Short mmCIF file of all heavy atoms in Angstrom, two decimals:
data_model
loop_
_atom_site.label_atom_id
_atom_site.label_comp_id
_atom_site.label_asym_id
_atom_site.label_seq_id
_atom_site.Cartn_x
_atom_site.Cartn_y
_atom_site.Cartn_z
N LEU A 52 4.20 -60.52 -75.81
CA LEU A 52 5.65 -60.63 -75.55
C LEU A 52 5.91 -61.98 -74.78
O LEU A 52 5.22 -62.20 -73.81
CB LEU A 52 6.19 -59.37 -74.71
CG LEU A 52 5.77 -58.10 -75.18
CD1 LEU A 52 6.11 -57.00 -74.14
CD2 LEU A 52 6.29 -57.77 -76.53
N VAL A 53 6.85 -62.82 -75.27
CA VAL A 53 7.15 -63.94 -74.70
C VAL A 53 8.62 -64.20 -74.41
O VAL A 53 9.42 -64.34 -75.43
CB VAL A 53 6.70 -65.21 -75.52
CG1 VAL A 53 6.85 -66.50 -74.82
CG2 VAL A 53 5.08 -65.08 -75.82
N ASP A 54 9.03 -64.09 -73.17
CA ASP A 54 10.46 -64.14 -72.84
C ASP A 54 10.53 -64.53 -71.30
O ASP A 54 9.66 -63.92 -70.56
CB ASP A 54 11.14 -62.77 -73.20
CG ASP A 54 12.72 -62.92 -73.14
OD1 ASP A 54 13.17 -62.96 -71.99
OD2 ASP A 54 13.28 -63.01 -74.16
N ASP A 55 11.50 -65.25 -70.97
CA ASP A 55 11.60 -65.66 -69.57
C ASP A 55 12.26 -64.51 -68.65
O ASP A 55 12.30 -64.76 -67.47
CB ASP A 55 12.37 -66.94 -69.38
CG ASP A 55 13.77 -66.93 -69.93
OD1 ASP A 55 14.13 -66.06 -70.69
OD2 ASP A 55 14.59 -67.78 -69.45
N GLN A 56 12.74 -63.52 -69.31
CA GLN A 56 13.38 -62.45 -68.53
C GLN A 56 12.41 -61.24 -68.39
O GLN A 56 12.12 -60.47 -69.39
CB GLN A 56 14.67 -61.89 -69.19
CG GLN A 56 15.68 -63.09 -69.25
CD GLN A 56 17.00 -62.53 -70.00
OE1 GLN A 56 17.24 -61.34 -70.15
NE2 GLN A 56 17.87 -63.48 -70.22
N ALA A 57 11.86 -61.03 -67.17
CA ALA A 57 10.90 -60.04 -67.01
C ALA A 57 11.35 -58.63 -67.24
O ALA A 57 10.71 -57.73 -67.74
CB ALA A 57 10.39 -60.10 -65.48
N LEU A 58 12.77 -58.41 -67.05
CA LEU A 58 13.26 -57.06 -67.25
C LEU A 58 13.34 -56.80 -68.82
O LEU A 58 12.99 -55.66 -69.23
CB LEU A 58 14.61 -57.04 -66.71
CG LEU A 58 15.36 -55.59 -66.68
CD1 LEU A 58 14.44 -54.48 -65.96
CD2 LEU A 58 16.73 -55.61 -66.19
N PHE A 59 13.68 -57.84 -69.58
CA PHE A 59 13.62 -57.61 -71.04
C PHE A 59 12.24 -57.41 -71.57
O PHE A 59 11.93 -56.53 -72.36
CB PHE A 59 14.29 -58.86 -71.64
CG PHE A 59 14.29 -58.91 -73.21
CD1 PHE A 59 15.32 -58.22 -73.85
CD2 PHE A 59 13.29 -59.42 -73.92
CE1 PHE A 59 15.32 -57.97 -75.26
CE2 PHE A 59 13.38 -59.41 -75.31
CZ PHE A 59 14.37 -58.72 -75.93
N ARG A 60 11.37 -58.13 -71.05
CA ARG A 60 9.86 -57.93 -71.34
C ARG A 60 9.49 -56.40 -71.07
O ARG A 60 8.80 -55.83 -71.88
CB ARG A 60 8.97 -58.93 -70.75
CG ARG A 60 9.16 -60.32 -71.07
CD ARG A 60 7.84 -61.14 -70.92
NE ARG A 60 7.36 -61.02 -69.45
CZ ARG A 60 7.80 -61.66 -68.46
NH1 ARG A 60 8.67 -62.75 -68.60
NH2 ARG A 60 7.13 -61.54 -67.27
N ALA A 61 9.79 -55.93 -69.96
CA ALA A 61 9.38 -54.70 -69.49
C ALA A 61 9.90 -53.61 -70.49
O ALA A 61 9.32 -52.70 -70.86
CB ALA A 61 9.89 -54.40 -68.15
N GLY A 62 11.26 -53.84 -70.95
CA GLY A 62 11.85 -52.82 -71.82
C GLY A 62 11.12 -52.86 -73.19
O GLY A 62 10.91 -51.78 -73.76
N VAL A 63 10.77 -54.11 -73.69
CA VAL A 63 10.20 -54.16 -74.96
C VAL A 63 8.81 -53.66 -74.93
O VAL A 63 8.25 -52.97 -75.87
CB VAL A 63 10.18 -55.61 -75.43
CG1 VAL A 63 9.32 -55.74 -76.72
CG2 VAL A 63 11.57 -56.13 -75.66
N ARG A 64 8.09 -53.85 -73.71
CA ARG A 64 6.72 -53.26 -73.58
C ARG A 64 6.74 -51.82 -73.69
O ARG A 64 5.85 -51.27 -74.45
CB ARG A 64 6.17 -53.81 -72.32
CG ARG A 64 4.71 -53.14 -71.97
CD ARG A 64 4.26 -53.47 -70.53
NE ARG A 64 3.59 -54.76 -70.57
CZ ARG A 64 2.29 -55.00 -70.85
NH1 ARG A 64 1.49 -53.93 -71.21
NH2 ARG A 64 1.85 -56.17 -70.78
N MET A 65 7.64 -51.17 -72.98
CA MET A 65 7.77 -49.79 -73.02
C MET A 65 7.96 -49.21 -74.52
O MET A 65 7.36 -48.31 -74.96
CB MET A 65 8.87 -49.22 -72.09
CG MET A 65 8.58 -49.40 -70.68
SD MET A 65 9.99 -48.90 -69.68
CE MET A 65 10.07 -47.17 -70.11
N GLY A 77 -0.51 -58.81 -73.92
CA GLY A 77 -0.17 -59.79 -72.90
C GLY A 77 1.37 -60.14 -72.96
O GLY A 77 2.02 -59.98 -73.85
N GLU A 78 1.77 -60.78 -71.81
CA GLU A 78 3.17 -61.35 -71.65
C GLU A 78 3.08 -62.82 -71.22
O GLU A 78 2.17 -63.24 -70.50
CB GLU A 78 3.89 -60.45 -70.67
CG GLU A 78 4.04 -59.04 -71.06
CD GLU A 78 4.81 -58.23 -70.02
OE1 GLU A 78 5.57 -58.88 -69.29
OE2 GLU A 78 4.77 -56.96 -70.01
N ALA A 79 4.12 -63.50 -71.49
CA ALA A 79 4.37 -64.85 -70.89
C ALA A 79 5.88 -65.06 -70.80
O ALA A 79 6.67 -64.48 -71.43
CB ALA A 79 3.72 -65.82 -71.91
N GLY A 80 6.14 -66.03 -69.76
CA GLY A 80 7.60 -66.22 -69.42
C GLY A 80 8.05 -67.59 -69.89
O GLY A 80 9.26 -67.97 -69.67
N ASP A 81 7.25 -68.40 -70.54
CA ASP A 81 7.65 -69.64 -71.05
C ASP A 81 6.61 -70.11 -72.16
O ASP A 81 5.66 -69.46 -72.42
CB ASP A 81 7.54 -70.69 -69.95
CG ASP A 81 6.23 -70.81 -69.32
OD1 ASP A 81 5.32 -71.56 -69.92
OD2 ASP A 81 6.06 -70.33 -68.10
N GLY A 82 7.09 -71.27 -72.82
CA GLY A 82 6.29 -71.66 -73.94
C GLY A 82 4.92 -72.17 -73.65
O GLY A 82 4.01 -71.89 -74.44
N LEU A 98 6.18 -61.83 -80.18
CA LEU A 98 7.68 -61.72 -80.12
C LEU A 98 8.12 -62.92 -79.26
O LEU A 98 7.74 -62.90 -78.02
CB LEU A 98 8.20 -60.44 -79.55
CG LEU A 98 7.79 -59.21 -80.34
CD1 LEU A 98 8.35 -57.95 -79.72
CD2 LEU A 98 8.32 -59.33 -81.77
N MET A 99 8.73 -63.90 -79.78
CA MET A 99 8.92 -65.17 -79.09
C MET A 99 10.39 -65.53 -78.84
O MET A 99 11.20 -65.54 -79.80
CB MET A 99 8.41 -66.29 -80.00
CG MET A 99 8.48 -67.68 -79.37
SD MET A 99 7.25 -68.09 -78.15
CE MET A 99 5.76 -68.25 -79.15
N ASP A 100 10.76 -65.59 -77.59
CA ASP A 100 12.16 -66.00 -77.20
C ASP A 100 12.35 -67.45 -77.66
O ASP A 100 11.41 -68.26 -77.70
CB ASP A 100 12.38 -65.82 -75.76
CG ASP A 100 13.81 -66.07 -75.38
OD1 ASP A 100 14.77 -65.98 -76.16
OD2 ASP A 100 14.06 -66.23 -74.15
N VAL A 101 13.58 -67.82 -77.95
CA VAL A 101 13.85 -69.26 -78.31
C VAL A 101 14.08 -70.15 -77.04
O VAL A 101 13.41 -71.21 -76.90
CB VAL A 101 15.09 -69.35 -79.31
CG1 VAL A 101 15.36 -70.86 -79.43
CG2 VAL A 101 14.68 -68.70 -80.66
N ARG A 102 14.93 -69.72 -76.20
CA ARG A 102 15.32 -70.50 -75.16
C ARG A 102 14.48 -70.11 -73.79
O ARG A 102 14.75 -68.93 -73.26
CB ARG A 102 16.72 -70.39 -74.80
CG ARG A 102 17.57 -70.94 -75.96
CD ARG A 102 19.08 -70.55 -75.83
NE ARG A 102 19.95 -71.03 -76.90
CZ ARG A 102 20.00 -70.38 -78.10
NH1 ARG A 102 19.43 -69.24 -78.25
NH2 ARG A 102 20.78 -70.93 -79.15
N MET A 103 13.59 -70.97 -73.39
CA MET A 103 12.71 -70.59 -72.24
C MET A 103 12.58 -71.99 -71.38
O MET A 103 12.54 -73.02 -71.94
CB MET A 103 11.40 -70.03 -72.69
CG MET A 103 11.45 -68.63 -73.25
SD MET A 103 9.81 -68.01 -73.70
CE MET A 103 9.38 -69.20 -74.99
N PRO A 104 12.06 -71.91 -70.17
CA PRO A 104 11.79 -73.09 -69.38
C PRO A 104 10.44 -73.64 -69.78
O PRO A 104 9.63 -73.08 -70.51
CB PRO A 104 11.90 -72.49 -67.92
CG PRO A 104 11.42 -71.13 -68.14
CD PRO A 104 12.09 -70.62 -69.38
N LEU A 132 12.96 -64.20 -81.16
CA LEU A 132 13.99 -63.33 -80.61
C LEU A 132 15.24 -64.27 -80.27
O LEU A 132 15.00 -65.20 -79.43
CB LEU A 132 13.47 -62.62 -79.35
CG LEU A 132 12.28 -61.68 -79.62
CD1 LEU A 132 11.75 -61.07 -78.30
CD2 LEU A 132 12.63 -60.54 -80.58
N THR A 133 16.38 -63.99 -80.68
CA THR A 133 17.53 -64.80 -80.44
C THR A 133 18.77 -64.04 -80.15
O THR A 133 18.84 -62.75 -80.55
CB THR A 133 17.76 -65.70 -81.57
OG1 THR A 133 18.95 -66.59 -81.31
CG2 THR A 133 17.98 -65.03 -82.86
N THR A 134 19.67 -64.55 -79.41
CA THR A 134 20.92 -63.82 -79.06
C THR A 134 21.95 -64.12 -80.11
O THR A 134 22.78 -63.16 -80.26
CB THR A 134 21.42 -64.46 -77.72
OG1 THR A 134 20.46 -64.26 -76.73
CG2 THR A 134 22.66 -63.68 -77.25
N PHE A 135 21.69 -65.01 -80.87
CA PHE A 135 22.85 -65.49 -81.92
C PHE A 135 22.20 -65.40 -83.27
O PHE A 135 21.12 -65.83 -83.58
CB PHE A 135 23.32 -66.85 -81.64
CG PHE A 135 23.85 -67.11 -80.27
CD1 PHE A 135 22.97 -67.69 -79.29
CD2 PHE A 135 25.04 -66.60 -79.82
CE1 PHE A 135 23.49 -67.87 -77.98
CE2 PHE A 135 25.52 -66.66 -78.52
CZ PHE A 135 24.80 -67.36 -77.65
N LYS A 155 18.33 -59.91 -80.23
CA LYS A 155 17.84 -59.28 -78.97
C LYS A 155 18.50 -57.96 -78.88
O LYS A 155 18.03 -57.00 -78.23
CB LYS A 155 18.09 -60.14 -77.83
CG LYS A 155 17.04 -61.18 -77.65
CD LYS A 155 17.15 -61.89 -76.26
CE LYS A 155 15.91 -62.78 -75.92
NZ LYS A 155 16.01 -63.34 -74.62
N ASP A 156 19.74 -57.77 -79.61
CA ASP A 156 20.45 -56.46 -79.34
C ASP A 156 20.14 -55.61 -80.66
O ASP A 156 20.95 -54.61 -80.83
CB ASP A 156 21.87 -56.75 -79.24
CG ASP A 156 22.60 -57.48 -80.32
OD1 ASP A 156 21.87 -57.84 -81.29
OD2 ASP A 156 23.81 -57.67 -80.26
#
Side-chain angles (χ1 to χ4, degrees):
L52 311 176
V53 181
D54 192 285
D55 62 340
Q56 297 181 12
L58 187 59
F59 179 79
R60 292 201 311 270
V63 175
R64 174 184 277 272
M65 289 179 62
E78 299 180 19
D81 60 71
L98 301 180
M99 178 80 74
D100 189 19
V101 171
R102 297 170 179 83
M103 294 182 294
L132 302 174
T133 179
T134 307
F135 306 102
K155 284 191 170 183
D156 62 356

